[in-house]
Amino acid sequence: MLAHLLAQVGIESVVLEDRSRAHVEQRIRAGVLEQPTVDLLDQLGVGERMHREGLVHHGIEIRFDRQRHRIALSDLTGGKAITIYGQQELVKDLIAARLAAGAPILFEVENVRLGGLDTQRPTISFRDDGRNETLRCSYVAGCDGFHGVSRPTIPDGVLRTFERDYPFAWLGILADVAPSTEELIYASHERGFALHSLRSPSISRLYLQVAPDEDLAAWSDDRIWSELRARLASDGWSLADGPIVDRSLTPLRSFVVEPMQYGRLFLAGDAAHIVPATGAKGLNLAVSDVRALADAITLHERTGDARGLAGYTARCLRRIWRVQDFSWWMSAMLHRLPEEDGFAGRLRRAQLEWLVASEAAARSLAENYVGLPFS
Ligand code: DHB
């Protein structure tokens, strides 16, 4: 996204990826695009297939006590919506557009090292196709995920870390079966949280709250489907099952580093922050970071004004902490703590009841869920 944003204003970049093209195009991740993300893809001219194949949703369902409650996202937000489109599909489109433009994107690079970050001319050295290469850059964008090289390259003592671990994880499946619902279902149940999402009219995506150290091997297909059936149960509704084609375990965590920059290195997305999965904000937050970074670089390149670069962290953090709060709130409301006591359980119940009773409460969820406007 950043490379496309910069290309649009004539700024060259080189994209380095340490995995293969096939790997990043097939890796199953979340699939909910906020309205501002969709609008930005359109602005970049890379949204065509997303509009053709993505599913626009105007509401979500909150389910508890076997009862179904619709949150009318679009009615509550002046017409905004979410688009269901797998992250790997978006990655395919961005790569295809990059290659079609003849702009550099290198896969399976090895041994990436950053240097001279506190100078005007930082370097990136790496191995590509058996050759050692060095790029001299004006800026380095650390868009390399939580486990990437960028964040650990920043000297000790510069970054402060803020984090929370949650006593649960998500067991996610992709199943070859038509979704049993038109809109996403977030279900709070005494056995734990469950989520029914989808990827297409014939592919379902579902999640179960499990323990963080859960053994995936202990979950047969039958066990997964019967647990989903129990947690999603509602009168007059049934869950269709089918072959499970992918399964994964995702721990939930909140993580932020401040600042998000060091000299000419700027962190974006998971390199700087992780949000718990509930609400599907990770991808969208990464998109808003790179929009801010593209603005800052563009201003600096065009006018020499470095205030955008200096203010990058502050601008990003305002949205990041808003989204951290939203994702934390949604997670806390919907998941059952392993040792949940009566007090905590009754508070969660009161939150759920308020959410579906008060239009103001539902609107608050809806505004955050469809995505707040970029600053
Ligand atoms: C999906 C993931 C989420 O984290 C969420 O809140 C909703 C949907 C998904 O993968 O479809």
Side-chain angles (χ1 to χ4, degrees):
M1 283 294 282
L2 178 60
H4 284 288
L5 285 163
L6 294 174
Q8 205 175 35
V9 292
I11 299 173
E12 288 177 16
S13 61
V14 179
V15 180
L16 304 178
E17 167 61 60
D18 76 351
R19 311 305 287 262
S20 68
R21 182 177 177 189
H23 178 87
V24 298
E25 291 190 346
Q26 274 151 35
R27 185 170 44 182
I28 311 290
R29 288 285 190 271
V32 177
L33 306 184
E34 290 179 350
Q35 186 72 54
T37 299
V38 168
D39 296 344
L40 193 59
L41 290 165
D42 281 336
Q43 191 192 310
L44 286 170
V46 291
E48 193 261 334
R49 192 167 69 97
M50 170 195 66
H51 286 297
R52 203 158 17 93
E53 297 178 13
L55 305 169
V56 178
H57 282 197
H58 299 285
I60 57 169
E61 188 179 318
I62 303 288
R63 206 174 267 199
F64 59 98
D65 274 353
R66 303 177 74 90
Q67 302 297 308
R68 307 166 62 173
H69 307 270
R70 182 167 191 263
I71 307 287
L73 297 175
S74 298
D75 293 346
L76 291 163
T77 59
K80 294 178 188 168
I82 53 160
T83 299
I84 308 299
Y85 192 59
Q87 179 169 323
Q88 79 280 14
E89 300 306 321
L90 182 54
V91 166
K92 282 180 201 162
D93 297 344
L94 293 170
I95 291 171
R98 179 89 182 155
L99 293 171
I105 173 165
L106 308 179
F107 294 96
E108 295 177 80
V109 299
E110 294 175 308
N111 212 16
V112 176
R113 298 277 179 272
L114 312 182
L117 294 174
D118 52 359
T119 71
Q120 306 284 308
R121 219 64 187 142
T123 58
I124 308 177
S125 58
F126 57 98
R127 236 178 131 66
D128 177 39
D129 232 353
R131 286 185 311 272
N132 291 324
E133 304 277 5
T134 298
L135 293 169
R136 297 191 175 284
C137 321
S138 302
Y139 315 91
V140 179
C143 307
D144 52 350
F146 186 72
H147 300 287
V149 299
S150 300
R151 196 182 62 252
T153 303
I154 297 175
D156 288 349
V158 173
L159 301 179
R160 279 184 78 190
T161 300
F162 301 85
E163 57 189 323
R164 283 277 181 279
D165 286 328
Y166 298 77
F168 34 80
W170 281 14
L171 192 173
I173 62 162
L174 196 67
D176 215 347
V177 59
S180 301
T181 179
E182 284 180 4
E183 297 183 332
L184 270 59
I185 304 168
Y186 287 87
S188 178
H189 189 273
E190 64 208 43
R191 299 181 66 87
F193 168 71
L195 169 59
H196 190 336
S197 181
L198 53 142
R199 284 294 177 274
S200 77
S202 59
I203 300 191
S204 300
R205 177 87 169 134
L206 298 109
Y207 299 95
L208 282 170
Q209 172 188 347
V210 295
D213 58 353
E214 194 74 42
D215 177 13
L216 264 186
W219 288 83
S220 65
D221 289 17
D222 277 353
R223 183 176 174 206
I224 292 173
W225 285 115
S226 73
E227 193 61 35
L228 284 166
R229 208 161 272 127
R231 296 187 194 181
L232 289 163
S234 174
D235 301 328
W237 182 88
S238 62
L239 177 65
D241 58 33
I244 295 177
V245 295
D246 185 86
R247 68 186 71 209
S248 59
L249 198 68
T250 309
L252 268 64
R253 71 186 316 191
S254 299
F255 175 92
V256 182
V257 291
E258 297 180 6
M260 290 168 60
Q261 60 201 94
Y262 173 71
R264 285 294 180 95
L265 169 66
F266 299 87
L267 304 177
D270 284 17
H273 46 76
I274 302 278
V275 290
T278 330
K281 291 297 181 201
L283 174 158
N284 295 289
L285 206 49
V287 167
S288 96
D289 287 351
V290 295
R291 213 202 79 131
L293 185 52
D295 283 354
I297 291 175
T298 304
L299 179 71
H300 190 231
E301 287 299 304
R302 287 211 171 138
T303 68
D305 185 342
R307 278 177 297 179
L309 293 174
Y312 171 72
T313 291
R315 178 171 167 191
C316 289
L317 284 177
R318 274 193 296 277
R319 188 182 187 89
I320 291 163
W321 281 109
R322 171 88 293 286
V323 170
Q324 284 292 2
D325 177 53
F326 175 69
S327 303
W328 176 88
W329 168 79
M330 235 181 132
S331 301
M333 176 173 67
L334 290 164
H335 292 76
R336 191 189 152 88
L337 292 169
E339 309 283 327
E340 185 167 274
D341 64 9
F343 187 87
R346 282 161 178 74
L347 280 185
R348 290 205 302 116
R349 155 59 58 105
Q351 284 184 351
L352 286 163
E353 286 179 354
W354 180 238
L355 175 65
V356 301
S358 156
E359 185 180 297
R363 191 188 308 280
S364 172
L365 182 148
E367 283 180 354
N368 284 277
Y369 197 87
V370 300
L372 298 165
F374 292 137
S375 60

